[in-house]
Amino acid sequence: MYTRIENEARNLAEELVSCAKLTKGQIVVVGCSTSEVCGEKIGTASVPDAADALYRGLKSVFAPLGIYIAAQCCEHLNRAIVIEKAAVPYAEAVNAVPMPKAGGSFATAAYREAESPVVLEHIKADAGLDIGLTLIGMHLKEVAVPLRLETKKVGSALVVAARTRAKFIGGERACYNEELM
């Protein structure tokens, strides 16, 4: 079961990188309910082994490309973010260590596996993966664009994905950079 979850996460990450045109240094916020992945109701059955498999699958794609994973904690830590300090060297960290039932299994795995983890209250990510409908929108840049990926589920959890783009400002005379769309 966990090998399948890891492979599904790897495929999901590859698809997101391609569809969102992610590049080195960008950040992907990931919200994940391992309860939902394993077929249970969100917040009822935290599964650390599923979180480990998900994290391995995502990291196997993102890390070699220099893309950072921002793991969203559950509501018990106010949806705080676990990320590598190198991704946000000047951000103001908060003092919290996620655990499976207070932060969530996925954020716990991210904290444990990071070289130098920090926990932040807020981030503005370039793209996002919501595995199990955990609500990641608060951590995306202001203009989020839904992505329709082929991968619709990881385990039993529904997956929603988004990328962000720069805001369009100006009026009818404004010109825009096509590379930022």
Side-chain angles (χ1 to χ4, degrees), residues 1-2 5 32-52 54 72-76 98-109 112 134:
M1 170 179 166
Y2 300 125
I5 290 170
C32 177
S33 168
T34 57
S35 300
E36 292 277 335
V37 169
C38 294
E40 301 296 328
K41 182 180 173 195
I42 192 169
T44 63
S46 194
V47 186
D49 289 338
D52 291 343
L54 277 156
Q72 179 180 272
C73 295
C74 73
E75 73 275 10
H76 296 101
M99 296 291 152
K101 300 254 182 218
S105 289
F106 186 75
T108 300
R112 184 184 63 247
T134 63

Side-chain angles (χ1 to χ4, degrees), residues 25 79 101 148 173:
R79 304 218 186 281
K101 300 254 182 218
R148 302 291 184 254
R173 294 185 215 174

Side-chain angles (χ1 to χ4, degrees), residues 88-99:
V88 289
Y90 305 108
E92 185 177 347
V94 295
N95 189 355
V97 177
M99 296 291 152

